[in-house]
Amino acid sequence: MKPFDYVRPATVAEAVAAAAQPGAVYLAAGTNLLDLMKGNVSRPDRLVDVTHLGGLDRIEHLADGALRIGALVRNADLAHDPEFASAYPAIAEALLSGASAQLRNTATVGGNLLQRTRCAYFYDTASRCNKREAGSGCDARDGENRSHAVLGWSDSCIATHPSDFCVPLVALDAVVEIEGGNGRREIALDELHRLPGDTPERDTTLEPGDLIVAVRLPPAARGFAAHARYLKVRERTSYAFAVVSAAAALLIENGKIKQARLGLGGVAAKPWRARAAEDVLKDVAPTADAFQEAAWRALSDAKPSGDNAFKIELARRIVVRALTLAAAGTPARMPALPASPFASTSGALHA
Ligand SMILES: Cc1cc2nc3c(=O)[nH]c(=O)nc-3n(C[C@H](O)[C@H](O)[C@H](O)COP(=O)(O)OP(=O)(O)OC[C@H]3O[C@@H](n4cnc5c(N)ncnc54)[C@H](O)[C@@H]3O)c2cc1C
Ligand code: SF4
């Protein structure tokens, strides 16, 4: 592994100053970053350890009804917070479907958002990868690419974003609070991750040295609690990334959908907000036909990037199933296999 400096700032201001120099990166729990460093995929000159910064490990209920989640809140602590899980059940379900219990106990909110792609060629330094080394090529294009993107990809890169957490967050209009060289600013989560275009080496719209300090859920996000689910298809029932996933949230009044929210995972380089699908669900009854129509809209721009045409049909079916589960109502407690299609379709609970 390449030698690097290690600094442990005491304040957010010190952290931002320490990360201003080229080659510096933030270290949170390290469950992704340290793996990448050990494999020589990431070669930072300086690690700025943010795990001891005060005040970033809180879940705060704001006066306007929004929820502010500090960037250092652990994935498991958030998912198991009873108030959080009942107000934002699809997010809790997504968190509990990710990684393993040990990883969730240590992984942080900020690190989960900024984890890198799981494209195998990105991790293999003997392969050509435009994301790891700009302009070097993309061995995934003619390689093993059945798990790659079907939306928003480019000839330069066909990788997907691996986070489960981000999928319901994007559906619920989450906002990311950032501290940078020019002070505090915020952006919609939908604008955090980038599509690859000609510059796949840039995963996000963040500037060097930008520190995520919190993620905020707007007051309206709570309105979906009664009808919100996350559904994830993976190659085994736990400890695996999504092949395809969907977060569905509905606001149902008098038998009609007043508002729908839909996010897709495993299909693009960013968590994918399916706004056209949401539009067709407005003011209609929550029927199988309406959900089919929404699924077609959600995937209308999809095209295979390799040996992955199956993902388009799979994603349509997952959208229909997630909407169906959401319409049936959020279960009072999480199923034994959170976010799994092998859990009961009715959302009923395993004892
Ligand atoms: C075996 C395995 C299986 C997994 N399965 C899943 C899965 O099914 N679903 C899923 O969603 N995830 C999965 N993960 C990924 C896991 O969720 C991430 O590794 C974890 O969330 C990263 O959090 P961290 O705190 O360890 O981040 P780190 O590894 O410390 O950091 C990750 C990146 O974020 C940056 N960073 C961290 N915090 C900040 C901040 N506050 N501001 C700016 N930059 C920051 C770092 O510089 C780094 O680039 C899996 C991981 C492993 C190892
Ligand atoms: S798909 Fe993207 S991450 Fe994977 S090898 Fe190609 S450029 Fe690299």
Side-chain angles (χ1 to χ4, degrees):
M1 196 194 286
K2 183 184 148 193
F4 55 87
D5 289 344
Y6 171 86
V7 293
R8 188 191 277 185
T11 65
V12 166
E14 281 176 31
V16 172
Q21 84 172 44
V25 296
Y26 293 114
L27 171 70
T31 60
N32 188 215
L33 179 60
L34 295 183
D35 279 356
L36 291 168
M37 288 172 64
K38 286 183 228 166
N40 239 358
V41 179
S42 288
R43 297 167 53 80
D45 297 314
R46 166 181 276 196
L47 290 190
V48 180
D49 183 345
V50 294
T51 52
H52 293 79
L53 299 181
L56 301 191
D57 59 351
R58 294 190 204 129
I59 304 171
E60 296 168 85
H61 298 268
L62 305 183
D64 66 353
L67 188 82
R68 187 167 184 272
I69 309 159
L72 292 177
V73 173
R74 308 283 172 180
N75 288 189
D77 291 342
L78 185 58
H80 292 300
D81 180 288
E83 229 181 307
F84 178 82
S86 71
Y88 312 98
I91 306 180
E93 201 168 12
L95 283 165
L96 292 176
S97 77
S100 65
Q102 292 90 337
L103 284 158
R104 295 193 295 268
N105 282 342
T106 187
T108 63
V109 160
N112 191 309
L113 265 50
L114 295 183
Q115 60 177 294
R116 310 293 309 272
T117 183
R118 289 282 158 174
C119 173
Y121 301 98
F122 174 70
Y123 281 79
D124 173 14
T125 53
S127 298
R128 294 177 306 158
C129 172
N130 287 323
K131 190 178 276 302
R132 180 170 23 80
E133 195 183 329
S136 63
C138 170
D139 275 346
R141 288 310 309 274
D142 297 316
E144 170 53 59
N145 50 27
R146 64 187 293 284
S147 64
H148 286 69
V150 292
L151 283 163
W153 54 272
S154 73
D155 287 337
S156 299
C157 179
I158 58 174
T160 59
H161 191 261
S163 167
D164 292 298
F165 181 41
C166 287
V167 181
L169 283 184
V170 80
L172 293 173
D173 282 337
V175 170
V176 183
E177 295 181 19
I178 299 157
E179 188 80 31
N182 295 321
R184 185 72 61 106
R185 70 185 196 283
E186 53 187 53
I187 56 170
L189 182 88
D190 201 13
E191 289 161 20
L192 176 67
H193 302 95
R194 292 179 70 254
L195 292 177
D198 294 333
T199 51
E201 68 277 11
R202 285 192 63 203
D203 287 356
T204 70
T205 55
L206 294 180
E207 297 298 332
D210 276 351
L211 176 71
I212 294 179
V213 291
V215 172
R216 217 172 55 239
L217 287 162
R222 284 176 169 267
F224 297 91
H227 296 280
R229 294 301 296 269
Y230 181 69
L231 190 62
K232 170 177 178 179
V233 176
R234 45 195 146 175
E235 291 189 335
R236 51 179 187 248
T237 49
S238 73
Y239 202 38
F241 290 91
V243 178
V244 168
S245 69
L250 301 172
L251 191 59
I252 301 179
E253 283 173 17
N254 302 321
K256 286 204 170 164
I257 300 170
K258 300 310 291 175
Q259 264 193 70
R261 299 289 181 80
L262 188 63
L264 296 178
V267 293
K270 59 185 286 182
W272 194 265
R273 178 82 180 261
R275 291 181 198 275
E278 295 174 2
D279 290 345
V280 301
L281 292 172
K282 194 166 167 44
D283 293 325
V284 302
T287 62
D289 284 350
F291 296 159
Q292 290 281 0
E293 171 66 16
W296 276 95
R297 289 287 180 98
L299 276 305
S300 61
D301 292 333
K303 56 181 187 196
S305 59
D307 189 20
N308 57 0
F310 79 97
K311 275 183 116 172
I312 300 172
E313 179 57 20
L314 181 62
R316 284 192 191 109
R317 292 180 188 210
I318 288 303
V319 165
V320 172
R321 183 85 169 266
L323 287 166
T324 307
L325 285 172
T330 307
R333 277 173 38 225
M334 215 53 83
L337 290 171
S340 168
F342 302 108
S344 161
T345 49
S346 68
L349 295 172
H350 297 245

